[in-house]
Amino acid sequence: MDAADLAGSYTYRSFLDLPEPVDDFNRLRFAQLELRLTVEPGGAISGALVFSDAPDDFLAMDITGKAANGPLVHFTLTGKGQPDTAIRDFHYEYDGIILPHWPTGVNQRPTLAGTVLRAADHGSGPDLAPAGQTAGFLAVKRDG
């Protein structure tokens, strides 16, 4: 595998780390967004985690990071809300890998997996989202 394999657009989904079984899968939902990544030679990563790409309501976190080649490509990302937007105080850290490909797999999609950490508080009062929240994530590569 190569760090360049990270480049592309993904459907990003993160899940709360609840150990007990749930009767409604939505209880695990932390986020579902679009992840767009580019990779430079040497493994530098840039991109966006897009909340809404409507022209009049574009919301995204700027993504920066690095990747290292190996049997499993390992990457770390930092996501920060864009200035002058409703998510300007968002700050998240990501640590993940590209999941292995099964040679005999059917319809397997390139998939990223890892953990995400809310690195800073955002919001206030009853809408405060405190730093330290963790979740698992999967990001499935889209076509094109």
Side-chain angles (χ1 to χ4, degrees), residues 95-126:
D95 192 330
I97 61 170
I98 299 176
L99 291 179
H101 177 77
W102 288 100
T104 58
V106 176
N107 297 324
Q108 183 179 2
R109 305 289 305 184
T111 302
L112 313 180
T115 59
V116 55
L117 167 74
R118 183 182 297 130
D121 292 349
H122 61 76
S124 62

Side-chain angles (χ1 to χ4, degrees), residues 46-130:
S46 61
L49 189 58
V50 180
F51 289 65
S52 167
D53 60 1
D56 57 340
D57 189 31
F58 184 81
L59 282 179
M61 289 195 308
D62 292 323
I63 297 291
T64 58
K66 61 183 177 181
N69 291 332
L72 296 177
V73 173
H74 177 252
F75 61 89
T76 56
L77 304 173
T78 296
K80 292 191 175 181
Q82 294 179 334
D84 301 320
T85 69
I87 60 170
R88 66 187 163 277
D89 56 350
F90 281 29
H91 177 186
Y92 287 83
E93 298 291 332
Y94 304 83
D95 192 330
I97 61 170
I98 299 176
L99 291 179
H101 177 77
W102 288 100
T104 58
V106 176
N107 297 324
Q108 183 179 2
R109 305 289 305 184
T111 302
L112 313 180
T115 59
V116 55
L117 167 74
R118 183 182 297 130
D121 292 349
H122 61 76
S124 62
D127 295 323
L128 176 68

